[in-house]
Amino acid sequence: MSVEHVEVLVEEPSMEAALRALLPKVLGAVSFDIYPYQCKNELLARLPTRLSGYSRWIKDSWRILVVVDRDDDDCAQLKRTLEDMARASGLKTRIGVEGKPWTVVNRLAIEELESWYFGDWQAVRKAYPRVPATIPMQAKYRDPDAIAGGTWEAFERVLQRAGYFKGGLAKIEAARTIAPHMIPTGNSSRSFQVLNAVLSEMTAA
């Protein structure tokens, strides 16, 4: 069955801002709505009720995408928690259905949204031209999903050294400025590639 619409639940407004620019590039004619929460804890606390509500009315041609930062959580445990919430609400998730219809897919931004920016440095340079072109060649930034010491902090430091955001990284502004330049198929962040793959799968269904 063709996917007609995607409901997207995210943990904070900067992720919403980024996805509003990125999703049309991947989903094409498939419509979407994005619902941001104020933090990860709020999303996780309200997710069971939200999913239970969806289970009572969601159409077979709709999908639900939940995007959460891993932060310092155990990746496997966090994913298992999200999967359990979906199944407890009576919705089928993409995991384990083996080609059968599903409604919910959970995706983690390994580290944070900023790892996706490190994965598409040309987009960052188009938004903020004074940042060095050599950042992706430096060993500590080479794997966007494995930047030590906090990804958004590293991203903020790079931009501040180039003269941007001297008062602190404005995450929503950065998302709105960078994401329109991002090319989904060219991002070197593994977590972004996994997200892009499932979105592309929806449009191909």
Side-chain angles (χ1 to χ4, degrees):
M1 174 177 291
S2 298
V3 175
E4 296 179 338
H5 180 83
V6 183
E7 295 276 279
V8 185
L9 309 179
V10 300
E11 66 176 59
E12 43 91 22
S14 65
M15 179 63 82
E16 177 198 13
L19 291 179
R20 285 204 180 280
L22 287 167
L23 290 185
K25 299 179 183 182
V26 184
L27 291 177
V30 176
S31 64
F32 66 89
D33 281 315
I34 305 176
Y35 304 94
Y37 292 82
Q38 291 307 308
C39 65
K40 180 178 182 177
N41 287 341
E42 183 189 17
L43 170 59
L44 294 178
R46 297 191 178 189
L47 190 57
T49 301
R50 182 108 191 189
L51 293 175
S52 180
Y54 279 127
S55 71
R56 290 192 284 273
W57 62 265
I58 196 163
K59 300 177 182 178
D60 292 342
S61 60
W62 287 31
R63 299 289 180 269
I64 301 167
L65 167 65
V66 182
V67 183
V68 177
D69 286 354
R70 187 197 68 173
D71 299 318
D72 294 326
D73 287 328
D74 176 85
C75 187
Q77 179 59 52
L78 178 58
K79 191 75 177 288
R80 192 159 45 245
T81 297
L82 294 170
E83 292 288 314
D84 288 346
M85 286 180 180
R87 292 183 182 124
S89 72
L91 296 169
K92 291 182 180 177
T93 74
R94 184 172 173 275
I95 290 180
V97 295
E98 297 179 355
K100 296 178 181 177
W102 54 270
T103 303
V104 180
V105 63
N106 298 299
R107 283 292 173 263
L108 305 183
I110 302 301
E111 292 301 326
E112 299 155 326
L113 171 62
E114 285 73 15
S115 65
W116 297 356
Y117 302 155
F118 278 109
D120 188 346
W121 201 246
Q122 285 300 316
V124 176
R125 293 200 71 229
K126 287 178 181 175
Y128 302 105
R130 295 195 300 274
V131 297
T134 55
I135 290 293
M137 299 171 216
Q138 298 179 28
K140 60 185 175 182
Y141 303 123
R142 201 164 290 150
D143 181 350
D145 295 319
I147 294 173
T151 308
W152 83 258
E153 293 91 339
F155 186 73
E156 181 184 66
R157 283 194 297 274
V158 171
L159 264 66
Q160 287 183 331
R161 286 173 189 150
Y164 301 103
F165 298 111
K166 288 295 186 182
L169 179 64
K171 299 182 86 172
I172 298 174
E173 178 186 333
R176 288 174 177 161
T177 308
I178 297 168
H181 299 293
M182 293 174 70
I183 300 173
T185 54
N187 202 299
S188 65
S189 162
R190 174 63 184 155
S191 67
F192 185 88
Q193 292 171 7
V194 172
L195 172 68
N196 188 54
V198 78
L199 291 171
S200 298
E201 180 184 300
M202 290 181 193
T203 63

